[in-house]
Amino acid sequence: MTGVGTINSNGLADTFEAHLSSLELAPATVANYLADLRAFLRWCEKTNVEAVSPFSLGSSDIDGFCAYLQEVKGQAPATVNRRIQALRKFYALAVESGWAGSNPAEEVSLRGESASERSRSLTPGDVEKLLAAVEGSQSQRAARDRAVVQLLLKAGLKLGELTELRLEDVRLEAEQPHLEVRGLNGDLSRTIPLDKEAYAAVCKYLDIREAAPGVESLCVNRDGNPLSTRSVQRLLHHYAQAAGLEGLTTQALRYLYAREVYEQSGDLKTVASHLGHR
């Protein structure tokens, strides 16, 4: 095959960009994935003594690239994981186009990262990007999705606590709108105040919520049945990807909420109370 040094990297990038655009990914995601591919091609050129094609590399080579990013460049697991996802899409295109016989990036495991590490890396700008991605949604269920993301961000709910919320647990008419959260897995039940953004998002959602007969769950799917935890994970992944925040989890948002409560109160007991910890 053609050596990596003689391959037209710009041509590959242009082809990859056209492919990503056909997938209707967010412009920021397309830009990030293109930068990731270019970084990988540069690494190939610098580290392979034998000028080989990127299409003849295996999973061990991509693992070496990831180790370089973490150990030499000091990149966070979330950033490395995004690069892995970019290479998975690139090699999927290569297989589809007949350039490669298999997708070596699929065999590379995503790097581990705790929710607390991910939350520490979040900046106010990242949160703004996430909220902008949600606000810009044209989905028929956009109002529900906005409410879900706001409750994760502003109430620090666990995934199961969110899906277990019932209409009677949402007290919007109180002087201080709040949630009555039923503690799960040993956590205490608790009252969580809603700020203006979360309150507004929940109100807008309730205006259009259509549930199946007898369903009292706050969050429902398109059939009107209770929203599953897997569905919440999928919708967060969708908006996180659109915002360029791959790897974001509901648990990371809970840690972020805890951090903000501590910054406002300076009291760990208050944090524990808001999270339902004993």
Side-chain angles (χ1 to χ4, degrees):
M1 283 191 175
T2 307
V4 75
T6 61
I7 281 181
N8 186 336
S9 297
N10 289 331
L12 278 179
D14 290 343
T15 302
F16 189 44
E17 181 177 15
H19 173 67
L20 294 175
S21 297
S22 73
L23 300 178
E24 299 183 351
L25 298 177
T29 301
V30 173
N32 286 334
Y33 281 177
L34 281 175
D36 295 338
L37 174 61
R38 291 192 174 103
F40 177 65
L41 294 177
R42 287 194 300 271
W43 176 82
C44 287
E45 292 173 353
K46 291 179 180 179
T47 59
N48 285 285
V49 177
E50 297 293 333
V52 297
S53 162
F55 306 126
S56 62
L57 298 180
S59 59
S60 60
D61 297 299
I62 298 176
D63 261 324
F65 173 59
C66 294
Y68 164 77
L69 295 176
Q70 286 187 280
E71 298 169 14
V72 177
K73 302 295 288 183
Q75 293 186 357
T79 301
V80 177
N81 287 341
R82 190 196 70 206
R83 293 183 185 271
I84 293 173
Q85 297 288 14
L87 291 177
R88 286 177 179 177
K89 290 188 180 297
F90 171 69
Y91 279 104
L93 171 63
V95 171
E96 181 182 324
S97 302
W99 304 332
S102 63
N103 186 336
E106 288 289 359
E107 302 172 21
V108 177
S109 300
L110 296 178
R111 270 38 188 176
E113 177 183 51
S114 72
S116 58
E117 288 173 330
R118 186 66 182 89
S119 68
R120 282 197 296 271
S121 70
L122 285 175
T123 66
D126 290 333
V127 174
E128 289 178 5
K129 290 177 184 176
L130 176 63
L131 294 176
V134 180
E135 289 299 324
S137 173
Q138 300 300 313
S139 167
Q140 294 181 345
R141 292 173 290 282
R144 181 207 63 193
D145 294 351
R146 293 183 192 110
V148 165
V149 172
Q150 283 288 350
L151 290 175
L152 291 171
L153 272 171
K154 304 297 180 64
L157 301 181
K158 286 185 175 181
L159 184 55
E161 291 173 341
L162 174 68
T163 55
E164 289 295 321
L165 272 181
R166 301 171 67 84
L167 292 176
E168 65 185 25
D169 301 325
V170 183
R171 310 293 176 83
L172 300 180
E173 303 303 323
E175 182 175 347
Q176 167 59 69
H178 63 273
L179 303 176
E180 294 293 343
V181 181
R182 305 160 191 242
L184 300 175
N185 301 322
D187 283 347
L188 298 172
S189 297
R190 60 198 186 279
T191 298
I192 300 294
L194 294 177
D195 68 5
K196 292 181 180 179
E197 288 80 6
Y199 171 79
V202 173
C203 287
K204 288 181 180 179
Y205 167 52
L206 288 176
D207 286 342
I208 56 91
R209 174 182 175 274
E210 294 183 357
V215 172
E216 292 298 317
S217 297
L218 171 66
C219 300
V220 297
N221 60 24
R222 62 184 178 184
D223 298 320
N225 293 314
L227 193 66
S228 68
T229 55
R230 182 68 185 118
S231 293
V232 175
Q233 290 173 320
R234 279 197 295 265
L235 77 84
L236 181 61
H237 173 76
H238 168 76
Y239 292 115
Q241 186 179 53
L245 300 171
E246 285 84 351
L248 187 65
T249 64
T250 56
Q251 184 68 0
L253 296 183
R254 179 171 159 86
Y255 273 99
L256 179 61
Y257 170 78
R259 187 178 73 190
E260 291 179 347
V261 171
Y262 180 72
E263 288 174 352
Q264 293 171 7
S265 67
D267 180 17
L268 288 176
K269 289 184 178 180
T270 299
V271 176
S273 174
H274 277 67
L275 295 180
H277 293 171
R278 295 182 182 277

